[in-house]
Amino acid sequence: HQKEAVSFVPAKNANPNQRALIVECSGEFIRLGDAAFPADQRGTAGFIQYLETLDKLSVYPVFIIKPSASNYAMQLVQTVQNMGFDTGYDAMAESERVDFSNNNR
């Protein structure tokens, strides 16, 4: 059974200088294209460290949340918002995966 790939085209943000950073959250990983962090305390800390290197005015994370990530994803969104980032989020079926080929560029 092959997973269905889903591409996202984020809506134009009010700030034309910002680009969406698509973040797929599952029970196993926090993925941003080729970069993946384990969905545990250590991986979450690594993801936060990565975000700290980004310009809050030029990027906004959009979290795509699978049911298996329900134990941490909304807390992660809140943490990222508290860091000063604009964010977005949406749900995704467990059997789907984000196609990063057109995103995060």
Side-chain angles (χ1 to χ4, degrees):
H1 173 66
Q2 190 171 10
K3 293 183 178 188
E4 183 177 335
V6 178
S7 292
F8 290 90
V9 180
K12 292 288 183 198
N13 194 356
N15 182 347
N17 298 320
Q18 282 187 319
R19 68 175 180 83
L21 177 70
I22 306 298
V23 181
E24 179 184 327
C25 296
S26 71
E28 291 183 80
F29 295 105
I30 302 166
R31 285 192 330 127
L32 304 96
D34 293 336
F37 300 86
D40 58 18
Q41 189 172 7
R42 190 170 169 183
T44 300
F47 173 72
I48 295 298
Q49 270 188 315
Y50 168 75
L51 285 185
E52 288 173 340
T53 68
L54 303 179
D55 179 7
K56 295 172 184 67
L57 299 177
S58 65
V59 67
Y60 66 101
V62 179
F63 294 87
I64 308 302
I65 302 169
K66 294 184 176 187
S68 62
S70 63
N71 63 326
Y72 74 87
M74 291 311 297
Q75 182 177 353
L76 182 59
V77 170
Q78 184 64 53
T79 298
V80 172
Q81 288 171 342
N82 290 344
M83 292 171 67
F85 284 95
D86 291 331
T87 63
Y89 61 89
D90 204 350
M92 169 182 258
E94 198 67 44
S95 62
E96 296 175 329
R97 66 177 178 80
V98 173
D99 176 5
F100 287 101
S101 61
N102 294 319
N103 301 122
N104 296 345
R105 293 178 191 240

